[in-house]
């Protein structure tokens, strides 16, 4: 929130750049050694991806918001802010309770690091620092990060106070002692303490889950952005100076996020409207091994990350319900259906065979097909004769599965192989010319999206 509001404000007041240069010195900065991360996702020219976290550190002025039994820093909020020169800004929430296969992180400073294991994503900072979270997010999403911004409890309060509060609709009275929050229902302006309680509250609102809290946080971020870019802030040099001072005094960033870099981001966002800023939560469901944890739904999550990594236009998903069955799939893949009926990629199981000879080609093609929603079950070299033309082989009754895959390839034919079951086999030959050009990104049905233009549960 802090960096997005800051760049939007700076974007509206670039002539005041010199006046605010001294404010930049307030920012706490940390070095991130990206060279130590090994191979990283590809950089897209002009695109900026910022890892944003709401820190729950309980030391110093933050001590009153929790006890000493909290083990290390575990971010309450984890967001990838994707800033595009062509498509505005997309903020993707990664639920803090996501139970995932975490890559290994080396010890750093006072952090002990750990071996690769299954763990909760917000534990990475406690045991590996911000560098570990950065590496983890890049490896799990395939999105290259450029910067990070973190704000703690007291910093959040100061930013809200500098805005003069944030107006929100409270649909029902809230009583949540754990979040130090008591609110009446109705449209009202929340001060800093109330705002912190509102975005932290779980058990006094909704179903008590982190996922419902994320939805409220997205509404709050939209309201905060609208207030920060309002004429009330922009028209007053004093208000603008106080706001930027509070923001920069309240955040920690990587040491590459200089004031000059912030201005670059501001220039990228100069024409950005509230309708161009969207909030998305990674598709998810209950973890099969732990009902108190979240699992990212596949292939939907990979499809979302691939669209963001490639800077696709996601606006078609804005303000849609996005709610479907938990799997994000339909039942069109039932093998008892007519074998000429259209099926979705999500129900097509594919084995990729590299008959063209380029090392690693089958694996690369498999990754591309996964990004397009197919279920890739294996990649291998051929055993036997390779056809002259790239061919999708299918078992009896699965011609529709083969055709769905062939339609995604620049050059391919289909052929029946009665020895195959429900999995189709793509055999790449010397005529291979890659996948066909994909249409603009269409997000999976399970992806929920909203813009910063308005609060979804407004009182009016």
């Amino acid at each position: 929130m802090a960096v997005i509001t800051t760049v939007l404000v700076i974007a509206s007041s670039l002539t005041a750049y010199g006046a605010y240069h001294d404010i930049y010195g307030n920012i706490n900065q940390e070095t991130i050694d990206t060279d130590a991360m090994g191979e990283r996702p590809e950089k897209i020219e002009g695109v900026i991806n910022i890892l944003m976290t709401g820190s729950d550190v309980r030391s110093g002025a933050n001590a009153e918001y929790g006890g000493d039994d909290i083990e290390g820093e575990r971010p309450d909020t984890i967001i990838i802010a994707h800033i595009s020169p062509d498509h505005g800004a997309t903020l993707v929430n990664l639920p803090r309770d996501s139970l995932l296969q975490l890559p290994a992180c080396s010890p750093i400073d006072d952090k002990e690091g750990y071996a690769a294991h299954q763990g909760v994503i917000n534990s990475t900072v406690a045991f590996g620092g911000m560098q570990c979270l950065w590496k983890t997010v890049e490896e799990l999403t395939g999105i290259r990060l450029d910067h990070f911004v973190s704000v703690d409890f007291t910093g959040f309060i100061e930013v809200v106070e500098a805005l003069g509060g944030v107006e929100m609709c409270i649909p029902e009275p809230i009583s949540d002692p754990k979040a130090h929050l008591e609110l009446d229902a109705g449209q009202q302006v929340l001060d800093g303490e109330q705002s912190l309680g509102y975005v932290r509250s779980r058990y006094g609102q909704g179903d008590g889950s982190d996922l419902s809290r994320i939805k409220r946080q997205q509404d709050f971020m939209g309201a905060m952005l609208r207030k920060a870019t309002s004429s009330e802030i922009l028209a007053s040099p004093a208000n603008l100076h106080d706001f930027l001072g509070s923001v920069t005094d309240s955040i920690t960033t990587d040491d590459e996020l200089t004031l000059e870099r912030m201005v670059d981001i501001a220039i990228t966002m100069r024409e950005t409207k509230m309708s161009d800023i969207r909030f998305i939560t990674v598709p998810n469901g209950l973890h099969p091994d732990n009902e108190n944890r979240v699992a990212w739904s596949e292939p939907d999550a990979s499809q979302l990350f691939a669209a963001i990594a490639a800077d696709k236009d996601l606006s078609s998903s804005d303000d849609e319900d996005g709610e479907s069955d938990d799997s994000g799939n339909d039942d069109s893949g039932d093998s008892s259906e007519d074998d000429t009926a259209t099926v979705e990629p999500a129900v097509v199981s594919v084995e990729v065979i590299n008959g063209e000879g380029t090392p690693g080609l089958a694996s690369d093609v498999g990754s591309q097909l996964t990004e397009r929603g197919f279920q890739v079950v294996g990649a291998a070299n051929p055993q036997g004769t390779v056809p002259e033309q790239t061919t999708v082989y299918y078992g009896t009754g699965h011609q529709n599965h083969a055709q769905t895959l062939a339609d995604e390839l620049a050059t391919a034919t289909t052929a029946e192989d009665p020895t195959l079951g429900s999995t189709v086999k793509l055999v790449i030959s010397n005529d291979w010319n890659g996948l066909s050009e994909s249409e603009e990104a269409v997000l999976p049905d399970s992806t929920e999206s909203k813009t910063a233009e308005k609060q979804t549960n407004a009182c009016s």
Side-chain angles (χ1 to χ4, degrees):
M1 270 188 272
V3 74
I4 296 294
T5 50
T6 299
V7 299
L8 285 172
V9 170
I10 294 176
S12 303
S13 186
L14 288 175
T15 56
Y17 171 82
Y20 301 122
H21 197 281
D22 61 316
I23 295 177
Y24 172 73
N26 297 337
I27 299 177
N28 296 315
Q29 294 195 312
E30 180 180 325
T31 298
I32 300 294
D33 184 6
T34 54
D35 291 339
M37 297 180 187
E39 186 175 353
R40 301 178 62 206
E42 180 183 355
K43 171 68 178 173
I44 303 295
E45 190 66 30
V47 168
I48 302 164
N49 295 310
I50 302 174
L51 177 63
M52 301 162 61
T53 68
S55 168
D56 74 340
V57 63
R58 310 301 172 104
S59 59
N62 296 291
E64 64 180 282
Y65 299 104
D68 295 333
D69 58 332
I70 304 298
E71 184 182 9
E73 179 182 352
R74 295 172 184 262
D76 272 349
T77 302
I78 303 172
I79 295 173
I80 300 173
H82 172 74
I83 301 171
S84 166
D86 300 318
H87 308 306
T90 300
L91 285 76
V92 183
N93 280 83
L94 308 179
R96 58 165 289 168
D97 292 336
S98 300
L99 182 59
L100 307 163
Q101 191 61 37
L102 304 178
C105 282
S106 302
I108 184 171
D109 298 330
D110 61 341
K111 309 295 184 181
E112 61 192 52
Y114 50 73
H117 70 290
Q118 188 181 64
V120 180
I121 191 170
N122 78 333
S123 67
T124 54
V125 179
F127 300 106
M130 185 57 66
Q131 181 162 312
C132 177
L133 178 59
W134 182 312
K135 172 188 175 183
T136 298
V137 170
E138 282 200 343
E139 290 198 20
L140 294 180
T141 67
I143 298 172
R144 185 184 179 99
L145 301 175
D146 300 289
H147 302 289
F148 88 83
V149 175
S150 179
V151 61
D152 61 22
F153 296 149
T154 55
F156 179 86
I157 291 173
E158 289 174 7
V159 172
V160 173
E161 292 291 347
L163 287 173
V166 174
E167 185 174 8
M168 289 292 294
C169 165
I170 308 301
E172 298 177 353
I174 300 173
S175 178
D176 188 345
K178 289 188 175 182
H180 307 286
L181 183 64
E182 299 287 337
L183 290 176
D184 296 327
Q187 198 80 18
Q188 54 197 285
V189 176
L190 305 185
D191 63 22
E193 288 281 356
Q194 291 171 327
S195 295
L196 178 64
Y198 180 79
V199 299
R200 292 187 66 211
S201 173
R202 289 179 62 171
Y203 304 107
Q205 304 184 67
D207 61 6
S209 70
D210 185 50
L211 296 176
S212 64
R213 177 170 65 173
I214 284 174
K215 293 180 180 179
R216 294 191 297 272
Q217 289 176 345
Q218 291 171 337
D219 277 333
F220 187 88
M221 283 191 281
M224 187 175 183
L225 288 166
R226 294 192 296 274
K227 181 63 179 289
T229 56
S230 69
S231 58
E232 181 180 341
I233 299 298
L234 300 180
S236 168
N239 288 348
L240 192 54
H241 189 279
D242 289 346
F243 171 72
L244 291 178
S246 294
V247 169
T248 54
D249 191 42
S250 306
I251 62 177
T252 300
T253 75
D254 61 285
D255 57 8
E256 296 295 321
L257 186 54
T258 61
L259 186 58
E260 288 75 15
R261 183 63 166 152
M262 286 186 179
V263 171
D264 289 341
I265 298 172
I267 292 172
T268 299
M269 298 191 69
R270 292 192 78 160
E271 305 302 322
T272 300
K273 300 183 282 252
M274 290 300 104
S275 59
D276 296 326
I277 300 175
R278 63 195 56 83
F279 303 99
I280 294 176
T281 302
V282 60
N284 65 82
L286 293 179
H287 198 283
D289 299 331
N290 187 336
E291 64 180 13
N292 295 316
R293 295 290 181 248
V294 170
W296 294 352
S297 301
E298 294 295 354
D300 292 12
S302 292
Q303 185 177 343
L304 169 63
F305 295 142
I308 292 172
D311 191 31
K312 297 293 187 179
D313 182 6
L314 309 180
S315 59
S316 62
S317 68
D318 290 344
D319 295 318
E320 294 177 358
D321 247 353
E323 297 194 4
S324 58
D325 65 284
D326 290 340
S327 67
N329 302 331
D330 57 33
D331 59 2
S332 60
D334 190 331
S335 60
S336 65
E337 290 186 351
D338 178 1
D339 66 3
T340 62
T342 301
V343 298
E344 296 296 320
V347 299
V348 180
S349 177
V350 184
E351 181 183 14
V352 183
I353 305 298
N354 178 12
E356 189 265 354
T358 302
L361 180 60
S363 178
D364 290 343
V365 172
S367 297
Q368 295 174 51
L369 291 175
T370 298
E371 291 175 0
R372 295 200 180 186
F374 291 89
Q375 300 282 354
V376 177
V377 298
N381 292 321
Q383 302 291 324
T385 305
V386 175
E388 293 184 2
Q389 185 177 0
T390 296
T391 304
V392 182
Y393 294 97
Y394 59 90
T396 303
H398 290 85
Q399 181 180 357
N400 50 357
H401 290 211
Q403 192 59 52
T404 295
L405 175 57
D407 289 344
E408 293 289 329
L409 309 177
T411 303
T413 188
T414 62
E416 184 174 2
D417 180 349
T419 66
L420 295 178
S422 60
T423 296
V424 300
K425 181 182 293 186
L426 167 60
V427 181
I428 300 172
S429 191
N430 291 326
D431 67 336
W432 176 249
N433 196 26
L435 274 63
S436 62
E437 289 293 327
S438 62
E439 298 177 356
E440 278 302 339
V442 177
L443 295 183
D445 290 341
S446 60
T447 301
E448 298 181 31
S449 174
K450 66 179 75 171
T451 70
E453 203 166 14
K454 59 185 178 180
Q455 184 179 345
T456 54
N457 63 342
C459 293
S460 59

